[in-house]
Amino acid sequence: MPDTPGTPRTAPGSCPVSGTTSGAAPAASGTARETSSGTARETASGTARDTASGAAPGAGSGAAPVASGTASAPTPVPASAPVPELFSWEFASDPYPAYAWLREHAPVHRTRLPSGVEAWLVTRYADARQALADQRLSKNPVHHAEPGKTGIPGERSAGLMTHLLNIDPPDHTRLRRLVSKAFTPRRVAAFAPRVQELTDRLIDSFAARGSADLIHEFAFPLPIYAICDMLGVPAEDQDDFRDWAGMMIRHGGGPRGGVARSVKKIRGYLAELIHRKREDLGQDDGADDLISGLIRASDHGDHLTEAEAVAMCFVLLFAGFETTINLIGNGTYALLRNPEQRARLQSSLAAGETGLLETGVEELLRYDGPVELATWRYATTGLTIGGQPIPAGDPVLVVLAAADRDPERFGAPDTLDLGRKDNQHLGYGHGIHYCLGAPLARLEGQTALATLLTRLPDLRLGVDPDELRWRGGLIMRGLRTLPVEFTPSAHR
């Protein structure tokens, strides 16, 4: 995840860092819904449709990516060609045609979001990559005239502002260095058996039934339990986290207050847990969880304040949460809609190969990734992006989903090709805010998809695609439900 996406459905900075008891109830149809990212999108009755994202692929569609370079000038907009409607339920179901129009005619486009905030949408790959690394674009909402309308609901009142999604160097450099000491590749690699154990246990819970909702019963609980284990949340408290996370998902497309209440509960719990672990480390230094590692790194180097520690753990929780839900959900749906690519991957897995699985997850991140827009940035001075002047103080939203379908960077961008080469997608961000939790998200995505396709080889959609609903929100992109059917099988 880039320093992780940001909603309660969010996680650190643009990445990865994802319901009722195990999922959210659909929102009422046709109402504008604020999200944890601080904006709204009309959704709810939205239906999934075939789109460029649902085009049937060719098994070897790997047309050579178009070399990146100077982007072509925008095509003049005919007077009779209005800007596509953004943030409607139709848009939520299939945003890619609208993003293609913006890339062609208005690649850096100022729009009024349903929350009332005006922001610039950056849709071309070259411009997006530039903006993600441009330090004149601050992550700190203090640079915006209405900071309360952006970011994670409740984070300000709960004292959770000092995390990687909201700060710039030098504080960002200091905090990221601290977290990197605790969130190491070694720790993630050692966690692989636990991720596999959780994956098998969840599939066991519905394998004999022959049907399941893969969001509520699989994609949602897997990353919640995994990140709780990694953080060191005691097993007896993890169901509380699952409930709080479910409330955030359930209210993510609705009033900000519903999310804010969950944020405050999580903040209070984390503060108490960090205090307990700090005391325990004074007596026993053998704990190997992420929070204990963060405390050790702070005590033996750059100091981490209590507020910073709580905010960092909060963001790490969501860095490993909704982005992974959406990666598993969107990825499974894309494979079910593209049977040739799904069969190609199953054949590779049956042969004991892992290469196609690895490139395949990267392609799924590019093709219909979990993070639609990178989290908020604010111009600290006047600057130009893609030839468009941006005044100081204006919010800028980099549209990752649009950039990763840019034909000037990717050959056949609307085709799913699991073997795609030179796939430098922006799904986990770019620059200093590149997703700290990307290795964990990749591990969970690869494990979940490989195990599903191996254990449930005839997995298929349980409803017509037009009946599926996408969750409302600005930052994240994910299905509310994913009903599937398969031949019942015994537990492992």
Side-chain angles (χ1 to χ4, degrees), residues 116-324:
V117 173
E118 292 191 356
W120 294 93
L121 303 181
V122 180
T123 55
R124 287 185 172 177
Y125 182 92
D127 297 335
R129 190 176 171 89
Q130 171 203 330
L132 290 172
D134 194 329
Q135 295 194 36
R136 295 172 298 176
L137 293 173
S138 171
K139 297 292 292 173
N140 194 331
V142 71
H143 295 287
H144 185 239
E146 299 179 283
K149 288 190 175 182
T150 65
I152 301 172
E155 64 177 357
R156 185 176 301 276
S157 61
L160 291 171
M161 294 296 292
T162 53
H163 57 69
L164 291 174
L165 286 177
N166 286 343
I167 58 175
D168 304 313
D171 285 336
H172 178 274
T173 306
R174 174 177 63 88
L175 292 181
R176 185 165 178 121
R177 181 170 58 242
L178 274 171
V179 178
S180 296
K181 291 178 182 178
F183 202 58
T184 62
R186 178 194 63 80
R187 187 186 299 274
V188 172
F191 200 58
R194 177 56 174 161
V195 172
Q196 185 65 64
E197 177 188 348
L198 287 169
T199 300
D200 282 321
R201 189 181 78 192
L202 289 169
I203 293 176
D204 283 344
S205 70
F206 56 75
R209 199 168 68 228
S211 65
D213 179 347
L214 283 187
I215 300 299
H216 294 178
E217 299 181 69
F218 184 65
F220 173 75
L222 174 58
I224 279 290
Y225 290 139
I227 195 62
C228 281
D229 279 357
M230 182 166 273
L231 283 171
V233 176
E236 61 268 22
D237 295 341
Q238 292 187 9
D239 282 340
D240 287 337
F241 261 89
R242 177 170 170 160
D243 290 344
W244 294 332
M247 286 190 286
M248 298 182 82
I249 291 292
R250 182 166 65 252
H251 294 296
R256 290 168 67 84
V259 174
R261 285 190 292 273
S262 297
V263 169
K264 289 180 180 179
K265 289 180 180 179
I266 293 173
R267 193 255 187 256
Y269 176 83
L270 287 173
E272 180 185 346
L273 180 63
I274 291 171
H275 179 72
R276 282 204 317 264
K277 286 186 175 291
R278 189 179 291 277
E279 289 186 337
D280 291 344
L281 284 176
Q283 305 170 19
D284 177 12
D285 197 39
D288 193 36
D289 59 82
L290 193 56
I291 291 179
S292 298
L294 198 58
I295 293 171
R296 284 195 202 91
S298 173
D299 289 347
H300 294 89
D302 294 318
H303 183 63
L304 194 66
T305 69
E306 180 182 346
E308 288 173 337
V310 174
M312 189 61 59
C313 291
F314 174 79
V315 165
L316 287 174
L317 174 67
F318 290 99
F321 171 35
E322 192 173 12
T323 47
T324 306

Side-chain angles (χ1 to χ4, degrees), residues 96 99-100 102-103 107 122-130 132 365-367 371-374 397-410 413 423-427:
Y96 295 103
Y99 287 151
L102 289 175
R103 277 196 312 266
V122 180
T123 55
R124 287 185 172 177
Y125 182 92
D127 297 335
R129 190 176 171 89
Q130 171 203 330
L132 290 172
L365 286 162
R366 180 203 69 83
Y367 179 72
V371 186
E372 193 165 336
L373 283 76
L397 292 167
V398 177
V399 188
L400 305 177
D404 281 343
R405 293 280 191 107
D406 189 343
E408 294 198 15
R409 177 59 184 83
F410 301 99
N423 189 1
Q424 296 182 24
H425 63 78
L426 300 176

